[in-house]
Amino acid sequence: MLEVLAAWPGAVLLRETPTAYIFVNAGHILGIGLLLGAILPLDLRLAGLWPAVPIAVIGPFLTRVAAIGLGLTLACGLWLFSVRPGHYADNAAFQAKLVLLMLALINVGLQHRRPAFRAALAGGPLAASVRVSALVSALLWLSVLVAGRWIGFL
């Protein structure tokens, strides 16, 4: 399977065209910036910081920006993975990144299903479960970022 992925024309393009690799890598970084740039302020607000900032105003917007960032990050990240899939699959930092990413996405899914979260987005009170999930989210997404940076050092 990894060999098939490495033979994909998109992977070949990135291996043979450094400029294309730079643009896809930049897309990955842009996606990360959008994702974390939206998630961290929202998580911190949901955790209780900046009480004067209405969650009902920033919540839906930041959630959409984070979703766009996640989509761009995943698309570009998968494309970058295809360049050397065997190398990345064996990399402990990459494996840690995938586990942390899965945990972060599960946390997002659970948070978004909570009635207390929907109530907070509508301007209601911040339940303890929403605050805790937001803090866990911030920790997980920052851990995904660190694990991603760690890949190049192993």
Side-chain angles (χ1 to χ4, degrees), residues 108-142:
V108 168
L110 292 174
Q111 176 80 303
H112 284 247
R113 285 191 167 89
R114 285 191 180 95
F117 175 74
R118 290 191 295 279
L121 284 184
L126 285 171
S129 63
V130 171
R131 290 175 186 254
V132 169
S133 185
L135 290 171
V136 168
S137 173
L139 178 65
L140 284 170
W141 286 111
L142 289 171

Side-chain angles (χ1 to χ4, degrees), residues 47-108:
L49 273 66
W50 311 297
V53 178
I55 295 171
V57 173
I58 66 165
F61 172 72
L62 291 177
T63 300
R64 287 184 193 100
V65 172
I68 291 167
L70 178 63
L72 183 59
T73 300
L74 290 176
C76 291
L78 287 170
W79 196 352
L80 292 169
F81 174 80
S82 73
V83 173
R84 297 175 61 196
H87 170 76
Y88 291 121
D90 290 337
N91 185 299
F94 182 78
Q95 294 168 5
K97 178 182 176 178
L98 290 183
V99 169
L100 290 164
L101 177 61
M102 183 176 51
L103 292 173
L105 292 172
I106 290 169
N107 185 61
V108 168

Side-chain angles (χ1 to χ4, degrees), residues 1-16 78-88:
M1 177 78 166
L2 294 178
E3 291 174 13
V4 171
L5 185 59
W8 173 63
V12 174
L13 172 71
L14 294 189
R15 281 195 300 274
E16 294 178 357
L78 287 170
W79 196 352
L80 292 169
F81 174 80
S82 73
V83 173
R84 297 175 61 196
H87 170 76
Y88 291 121

Side-chain angles (χ1 to χ4, degrees), residues 23-39 64-77 141 145:
F23 279 104
V24 173
N25 193 35
H28 189 60
I29 293 167
L30 174 61
I32 292 167
L34 289 169
L35 177 63
L36 289 178
I39 284 179
R64 287 184 193 100
V65 172
I68 291 167
L70 178 63
L72 183 59
T73 300
L74 290 176
C76 291
W141 286 111
L145 177 69

